[in-house]
Amino acid sequence: MNPIFHALFQKSRYLTNCLNEVLKQHHLYSSQWAILYCLHKNGPMTLTQIWKYLNVEAPSITRAITRLETLGWVERLDGEDKREKIVTLTEQANERLPAITETILAFEEEMVGSLTAEEQQQFMILLEKMKG
């Protein structure tokens, strides 16, 4: 096995676990944050657009959206086609996003703070060169 993959998988799990710890103060998990960030960045989206963007299976996104809806973070609106639902952030989510973003930025700085700006840029270039 190529050691790059083992290292990537291990680091990914580590980062996810650390992020979940950091997000506890906001009563969120990293998977929920990914959806909130996606909607914040792109605006209202269909469920299909969300799962394609995040590369996650549709049932997982549907469950997460249902949970976020119950918690008051998102709402589903009817799309042009009655079968299509548009997911959007609620007023509550928009009010709470700045505090969460501050938490995320501090987390990211802690995780990559030992890398120079050039190293971070090179790392991104290398990741983009990988297939997928």
Side-chain angles (χ1 to χ4, degrees):
M1 182 170 158
N2 187 327
I4 290 172
F5 290 96
H6 179 72
L8 282 172
F9 295 146
Q10 289 299 101
K11 189 59 75 173
S12 176
R13 281 191 288 275
Y14 172 76
L15 290 171
T16 299
N17 289 338
C18 289
L19 183 56
N20 282 334
E21 278 300 311
V22 167
L23 286 172
K24 273 185 182 178
Q25 65 186 296
H26 300 288
H27 309 287
L28 289 170
Y29 291 102
S30 60
S31 57
Q32 295 168 324
W33 166 247
I35 293 169
L36 296 176
Y37 178 77
C38 177
L39 292 170
H40 174 68
K41 180 180 172 196
N42 299 304
M45 299 173 76
T46 65
L47 289 170
T48 301
Q49 290 171 324
I50 295 169
W51 64 259
K52 284 183 178 179
Y53 178 85
L54 294 175
N55 291 315
V56 177
E57 295 79 24
S60 297
I61 292 298
T62 301
R63 282 191 301 274
I65 293 292
T66 299
R67 180 74 177 136
L68 287 169
E69 194 173 31
T70 301
L71 295 171
W73 289 97
V74 300
E75 60 184 335
R76 288 183 236 207
L77 308 170
D78 289 332
E80 292 178 19
D81 178 342
K82 286 287 186 191
R83 295 170 294 169
E84 181 181 72
K85 295 292 182 189
I86 306 294
V87 181
T88 187
L89 295 173
T90 62
E91 179 87 18
Q92 169 192 309
N94 285 315
E95 289 172 3
R96 294 173 68 188
L97 275 176
I100 300 167
T101 300
E102 192 175 310
T103 300
I104 294 293
L105 291 174
F107 167 78
E108 290 173 350
E109 179 57 33
E110 182 181 337
M111 291 297 123
V112 298
S114 62
L115 301 176
T116 66
E118 294 80 23
E119 288 171 329
Q120 290 179 43
Q121 184 178 17
Q122 182 64 32
F123 185 61
M124 287 300 298
I125 290 167
L126 294 172
L127 285 174
E128 289 171 12
K129 285 179 88 170
M130 288 181 67
K131 188 175 182 168

